Amino acid sequence: MADTGATPDASAPATGADRSAKGGDKAVRTAVPEGKLSPKDRRKRIADRVLAEGQVSIEDLVQELGVSQMTVHRDLDSLEHQGWLRKVRGGATAAPNALFESNARWRGNEQVAAKEAICAAALAIAEPGQAVIIDDSSTALPLARSLASRGAYTVITNSLQVINELAEEPDIRVIALGGEYHAAFNAFLGMSTADIARSFRADVAFLSTSAVDNGHCYHQAQENVLVKRALMAAARRRVLLVDHSKFGRQALYELAPLADFDLVISDEQLPQEERDALQSLGVRYELAAEGAHRA
């Protein structure tokens, strides 16, 4: 993708003298004299730190970067606009809330064991020879990585990471849904992507969501909801992959009722009250055990 000059490169190492102290102490950071970092490098360093640590204070950034509070505020405003972090009082965080979905890199490190277990269960549903939809969620990524060893598939996706994972697999035909690229999601989103998605018909769609509350799925980003709804409409069978931490959360936009999915797969840490709620709604669900592997 073209470099806009503002978006941090999530795959590159952090700029500056970040070193971990011996014995697991907090990383020792050297202040950078003002003017030593370009705005792009400075914002990349901020994004790297927030994504690595989860939260950072403005005071720490001022000391580390050797710039004014006003400069740090402007950098945080820019990064928040791009979806890399969320400003909070006195600093910034990578954690999601009802209006903000955390960055793809942050989400990829959350609930890893649960996501792998969920995808191991989902793998039994994806039969070789099928056309399979995989959305841009971090939850579905382990499923994409496992398909190559299972046989031939056609994979339809808006996720750049899924595209890159499967691009060189000889038995996998990849159909990439284009549109506007969103770096925070590492995916193509919006109306044009949704329009392209509706032109396909797949056997099964594997999707996830940011929040589940009162029998409905929600997401913080409207452009993401548009695409997920289109992906659901493009599949004969729809499977929701959602770990236990998403239940009881809130987000701004409704995606769909749980009843619109043919199957909901979660993990065994799902609280009993949530299991009872799924049962009362007539939602078909399955709980995957961490560490379980399926042939």
Side-chain angles (χ1 to χ4, degrees):
M1 301 300 298
D3 186 358
T4 63
T7 303
D9 180 1
S11 63
T15 304
D18 290 357
R19 297 292 184 267
S20 295
K22 292 182 179 180
D25 293 338
K26 189 177 180 180
V28 177
R29 303 181 186 277
T30 303
V32 179
E34 187 161 6
K36 290 295 185 179
L37 292 177
S38 67
K40 176 183 176 181
D41 287 340
R42 191 175 61 242
R43 290 168 187 173
K44 178 189 177 302
R45 182 163 176 163
I46 293 172
D48 282 342
R49 184 168 176 189
V50 174
L51 293 175
E53 300 179 11
Q55 187 164 334
V56 68
S57 72
I58 290 174
E59 182 180 351
D60 285 348
L61 292 175
V62 167
Q63 293 179 359
E64 177 183 341
L65 299 172
V67 296
S68 67
Q69 283 195 9
M70 185 68 70
T71 298
V72 171
H73 274 289
R74 286 198 299 267
D75 288 342
L76 293 179
D77 286 339
S78 176
L79 291 168
E80 183 176 50
H81 178 72
Q82 297 171 50
W84 289 90
L85 50 78
R86 174 169 57 94
K87 283 185 73 176
V88 295
R89 184 172 182 178
T93 179
N97 70 356
L99 298 177
F100 172 77
E101 168 65 307
S102 52
N103 181 272
R105 197 167 119 201
W106 170 265
R107 287 183 283 119
N109 293 322
E110 294 292 294
Q111 303 295 335
V112 174
K115 291 173 182 176
E116 290 177 348
I118 289 167
C119 286
L123 193 59
I125 299 169
E127 299 177 4
Q130 287 186 328
V132 174
I133 290 172
I134 298 178
D135 73 355
D136 61 288
S137 64
S138 63
T139 305
L141 187 58
L143 174 64
R145 290 171 174 159
S146 300
L147 287 179
S149 63
R150 296 273 295 181
Y153 292 91
T154 295
V155 175
I156 302 166
T157 185
N158 65 313
S159 166
L160 184 58
Q161 190 165 359
V162 171
I163 294 168
N164 290 334
E165 288 279 350
L166 299 178
E168 297 184 6
E169 296 295 338
D171 292 332
I172 306 294
R173 178 190 180 197
V174 179
I175 298 177
L177 302 177
E180 182 180 355
Y181 177 72
H182 289 244
F185 294 101
N186 199 17
F188 300 94
L189 299 170
M191 186 64 71
S192 58
T193 308
D195 288 341
I196 298 168
R198 278 188 284 266
S199 67
F200 293 98
R201 189 65 175 168
D203 294 290
V204 58
F206 296 98
L207 303 96
S208 191
T209 189
S210 300
V212 178
D213 187 54
N214 197 28
H216 293 258
C217 302
Y218 296 88
H219 201 282
Q220 297 91 339
Q222 190 173 30
E223 60 270 22
N224 210 309
V225 169
L226 286 172
V227 174
K228 288 179 183 286
R229 285 178 178 172
L231 294 175
M232 291 176 66
R236 180 177 57 84
R237 191 178 184 193
R238 298 176 288 271
V239 180
L240 181 68
L241 311 178
V242 55
D243 72 76
H244 69 279
S245 70
K246 306 294 178 60
F247 286 79
R249 281 189 184 176
Q250 294 182 340
L252 186 60
Y253 300 100
E254 182 183 359
L255 169 60
L258 290 175
D260 283 2
F261 292 90
D262 298 281
L263 178 65
V264 174
I265 304 179
S266 189
D267 59 279
E268 289 191 329
Q269 296 185 59
L270 186 68
Q272 186 60 50
E273 58 267 27
E274 298 292 352
R275 304 183 193 192
D276 294 341
L278 292 174
Q279 188 75 29
S280 66
L281 291 168
V283 175
R284 182 169 175 251
Y285 72 95
E286 178 179 342
L287 301 180
E290 293 183 15
H293 298 280
R294 301 193 176 202

